[in-house]
């Protein structure tokens, strides 16, 4: 249904709209709500406040009018194929993504990409300005839209503007490389509240604003001439209710048993679930696992690794190379150590439903989460929320934001293959009492801090203008 340009009291601005197009049996296209914690957390707020969501539909060269779907007002922003190439695959994913993740891959600094980023950010800002009612609250999401707060404030000084960054915000030594560092900081400073996943992100931002924008700062605050910007950390979480319900469902539990049977009922099943991304440390974990066979500490039948890797950003060069490398690595490991019909690594380059994902979580003895750098990592929290039986173990990188909260995980440094291998072995052989003790403590944290609380804390801080309680 097309709606007249209705104004909303609450507007979310994100690169993608929270719906995916699906074609039904009659070939008719409709929209279905995308899975994911962010959407789940924000939808109730949208419904309460007649909110609107501004974003791209996900395919290039489409001009769509605002429409309603799944009880939400959706305002599409259109991107041409060239915008997708320069703004999305280019500046967002080949410049900012690697720069913000410790320069694990080399960022590309190219003026044409920056110009497209500015141009597209301006388009999002205009669409948000159109959608927002007088004095509305606008919540801008993530690294693709860092210029929107400033652009939007210029168009609509009456709005209350929040920004949340889902990925890490880098320290001075790295951020300094960016030729447009000042513009990015000024973009973010257009917001009243800038939220980060971790304390480090917030303090990096405050420090950089002082250094590159010559601004006064105090604690969490950056002082401008006419107003103050708050910077704080709001660690994102998962939809605990959904996960606990799925994990308690008998058919999901049966599927978990079946998965283990299909794998030949190994003594240990290890699991990795990631977008196929070079920040996730997939190669490091597979190497550590393979070395356990090489060292003869583990043999075929003792342990099976299941690596599920969702296809991601396949048109960006680095991602194509990564995929080839992982496939080679898996092939080699199986060639060396598998027995007929029993690979040591099962690699699945695909995406799964929430139900199947939870069945995998329940089947896994050890969940392996080894990013080289990660804003949070929801998979770690999803695993913990699902394991009400307290029987699983979590191997977790200290470079994931989640490590700040899940301190009873088996913590590793993914750059240290020897140490990772040792902790992996320990996690595989931990007794039930030790596993339960660790899992109970991690579950307490995740159950108390779910994604609803995350959204509430951010919005309370934005609307009250005060920092959240410590
Ligand atoms: P991502 O880098 O995408 O998110 P993550 O936090 O792990 O990483 O979220 C991935 C989500 O996709 C999870 O909900 C997971 O269940 C799902 N998923 C992954 N592989 C899947 C598969 N094969 N099939 C189905 N679902 C799959 C970015 C940042 C993170 C931050 C989040 C949220 O990089 O650091 O935690 O945003 O802020």
């Amino acid at each position: 249904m097309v709606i007249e340009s209705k104004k909303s009291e609450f507007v979310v601005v994100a690169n993608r709209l929270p719906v995916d197009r699906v074609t039904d049996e009659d070939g008719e296209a409709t929209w279905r709500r995308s899975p994911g914690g962010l959407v789940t957390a924000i939808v109730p707020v949208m419904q309460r406040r007649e909110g609107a969501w501004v974003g791209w539909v996900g395919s290039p060269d489409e001009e769509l009018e605002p429409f309603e779907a799944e009880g939400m007002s959706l305002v599409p922003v259109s991107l041409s194929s060239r915008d997708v190439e320069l703004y999305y695959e280019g500046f967002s994913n080949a410049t900012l993504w690697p720069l913000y993740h410790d320069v694990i891959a080399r960022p590309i600094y190219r003026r044409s990409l920056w110009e497209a980023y500015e141009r597209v950010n301006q388009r999002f800002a205009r669409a948000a300005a159109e959608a927002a009612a007088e004095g509305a609250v606008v919540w801008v999401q993530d690294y693709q839209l860092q210029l929107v707060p400033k652009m939007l404030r210029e168009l609509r000084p009456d709005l209350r503007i929040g920004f949340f960054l889902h990925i890490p915000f880098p320290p001075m030594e790295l951020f300094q490389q960016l030729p447009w560092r000042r513009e990015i900081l000024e973009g973010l400073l257009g917001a009243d509240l800038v939220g980060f996943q971790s304390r480090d992100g917030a303090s990096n931002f405050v420090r950089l604003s002082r250094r590159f924008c010559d601004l006064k700062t105090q604690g969490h605050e950056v002082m401008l001439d006419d107003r103050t910007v708050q910077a704080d950390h709001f660690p994102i979480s998962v939809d605990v209710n959904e996960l606990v319900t799925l994990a308690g469902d008998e058919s999901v539990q049966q599927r978990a048993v079946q998965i283990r049977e299909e794998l030949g009922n190994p003594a240990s099943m290890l699991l990795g679930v990631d977008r196929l991304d070079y920040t996730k440390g997939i190669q490091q974990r597979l190497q550590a696992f393979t070395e356990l066979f090489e060292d003869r500490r583990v043999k075929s039948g003792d342990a099976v690794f299941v690596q599920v890797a969702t296809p991601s950003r396949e048109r960006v060069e680095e991602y194509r190379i990564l995929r080839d490398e992982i496939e080679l690595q898996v092939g080699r490991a199986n060639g060396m150590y598998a027995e007929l019909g029993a690979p040591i690594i099962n690699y699945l380059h695909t995406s799964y439903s929430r139900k199947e994902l939870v069945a995998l979580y329940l089947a896994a003895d050890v969940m392996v989460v080894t990013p080289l750098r990660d804003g949070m990592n929801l998979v770690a929290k999803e695993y913990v929320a699902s394991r009400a039986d307290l029987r699983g173990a979590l191997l977790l990188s200290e470079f994931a934001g989640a490590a700040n909260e899940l301190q009873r995980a088996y913590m590793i440094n993914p750059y240290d293959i020897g140490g990772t291998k040792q902790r992996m072995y320990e996690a595989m052989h931990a007794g039930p009492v030790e596993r339960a003790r660790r899992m109970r403590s991690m579950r307490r944290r995740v159950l108390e801090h779910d994604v609803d609380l995350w959204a509430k804390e951010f919005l309370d801080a934005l609307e009250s203008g005060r920092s959240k309680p410590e």
Side-chain angles (χ1 to χ4, degrees), residues 239-279:
D239 183 356
V240 170
N241 281 342
E242 181 212 21
L243 292 159
V244 169
T245 306
L246 280 174
D249 183 322
E250 208 170 312
S251 68
V252 176
Q253 292 174 357
Q254 278 166 4
R255 174 68 189 137
V257 172
Q258 190 187 17
I259 290 171
R260 293 190 66 101
E261 276 167 10
E262 284 168 7
L263 294 170
N265 279 320
S268 292
M269 171 184 158
L270 293 85
L271 175 67
V273 173
D274 310 77
R275 265 188 317 98
L276 187 59
D277 195 295
Y278 53 79
T279 59

Side-chain angles (χ1 to χ4, degrees), residues 155-390:
L155 295 166
R156 291 288 306 274
D158 59 297
L159 302 175
R160 189 100 192 130
I161 304 171
F163 180 91
F164 184 77
L165 185 69
H166 290 258
I167 68 175
F169 196 71
M172 171 101 70
E173 297 69 28
L174 298 179
F175 191 77
Q176 217 173 354
Q177 291 183 8
L178 186 66
W180 307 280
R181 59 199 183 191
R182 192 183 164 123
E183 288 87 340
I184 292 283
L185 292 167
E186 286 173 353
L188 294 170
L189 288 164
D192 296 290
L193 172 66
V194 188
F196 299 89
Q197 300 274 26
S198 71
R199 245 176 245 278
D200 287 349
S203 59
N204 288 342
F205 173 71
V206 171
R207 196 159 155 240
L208 283 158
S209 302
R210 194 162 63 227
R211 170 82 165 76
F212 292 114
C213 304
D214 294 321
L215 292 167
K216 286 212 169 32
T217 67
Q218 195 178 32
H220 294 280
E221 294 180 348
V222 182
M223 264 69 84
L224 310 188
D225 290 343
D226 51 344
R227 60 193 182 88
T228 300
V229 180
Q230 305 272 347
D232 211 340
H233 66 287
F234 299 86
I236 199 168
S237 191
V238 294
D239 183 356
V240 170
N241 281 342
E242 181 212 21
L243 292 159
V244 169
T245 306
L246 280 174
D249 183 322
E250 208 170 312
S251 68
V252 176
Q253 292 174 357
Q254 278 166 4
R255 174 68 189 137
V257 172
Q258 190 187 17
I259 290 171
R260 293 190 66 101
E261 276 167 10
E262 284 168 7
L263 294 170
N265 279 320
S268 292
M269 171 184 158
L270 293 85
L271 175 67
V273 173
D274 310 77
R275 265 188 317 98
L276 187 59
D277 195 295
Y278 53 79
T279 59
K280 302 290 182 186
I282 299 172
Q283 290 155 297
Q284 286 75 0
R285 79 180 67 143
L286 295 180
Q287 191 185 335
F289 180 70
T290 308
E291 283 189 15
L292 288 173
F293 286 80
E294 202 174 298
D295 301 346
R296 298 173 195 270
R297 296 178 78 185
V298 173
K299 57 181 193 321
S300 174
D302 289 347
V304 172
F305 204 114
V306 176
Q307 176 63 53
V308 183
T310 318
S312 179
R313 306 177 191 167
E314 294 187 298
R315 285 154 47 116
V316 180
E317 176 73 7
E318 287 284 346
Y319 289 78
R320 279 200 292 260
I321 297 171
L322 177 74
R323 180 175 173 191
D324 288 348
E325 285 177 358
I326 291 175
E327 289 176 0
L328 188 68
Q329 194 184 6
V330 171
R332 282 213 176 122
N334 284 329
M336 292 289 289
Y337 302 110
E339 288 184 355
L340 202 61
I344 64 164
I345 303 174
N346 284 263
Y347 168 75
L348 304 149
H349 183 241
T350 180
S351 193
Y352 282 123
S353 69
R354 302 298 287 168
K355 219 171 158 180
E356 182 73 358
L357 215 53
V358 174
L360 281 163
Y361 290 152
L362 292 184
D365 302 294
V366 185
M367 185 75 216
V368 186
V369 180
T370 58
L372 303 172
R373 182 59 74 189
D374 214 333
M376 178 55 61
N377 196 293
L378 295 179
V379 169
K381 290 189 172 179
E382 287 168 2
Y383 182 69
V384 168
S386 307
R387 296 309 299 251
D389 62 358
L390 309 180

Side-chain angles (χ1 to χ4, degrees), residues 31-148:
W31 300 93
R32 191 175 54 205
R33 191 200 289 186
S34 327
L38 179 68
V39 180
T40 319
I42 293 178
V43 167
V45 190
M46 300 266 283
Q47 286 164 347
R48 269 200 307 277
R49 309 195 192 185
E50 299 210 8
W53 189 305
V54 176
W56 173 45
V57 287
S59 50
D61 302 312
E62 272 202 90
E63 299 274 353
L64 291 175
E65 289 301 317
F67 61 101
E68 287 210 359
E70 301 270 340
M72 299 180 276
S73 296
L74 304 170
V75 182
V77 172
S78 89
L79 297 184
S80 67
S81 322
R82 196 149 168 79
D83 292 332
V84 174
E85 187 188 329
L86 302 181
Y87 145 81
Y88 178 70
E89 292 160 359
F91 200 78
S92 298
N93 289 321
T95 307
L96 294 170
W97 180 268
L99 176 66
Y100 284 25
H101 287 90
D102 285 2
V103 191
I104 298 165
R106 198 185 169 85
I108 295 172
Y109 300 121
R110 198 174 292 153
R111 278 163 286 183
S112 56
L113 305 187
W114 163 252
E115 284 157 14
Y117 186 78
E118 272 188 305
R119 191 172 63 238
V120 172
N121 271 247
Q122 189 61 256
R123 201 175 305 153
F124 275 85
R126 270 200 301 271
E130 274 287 302
E134 179 72 23
V137 170
V138 182
W139 191 2
V140 185
Q141 308 285 332
D142 227 0
Y143 63 103
Q144 303 93 347
L145 302 175
Q146 292 172 98
L147 305 178
V148 169

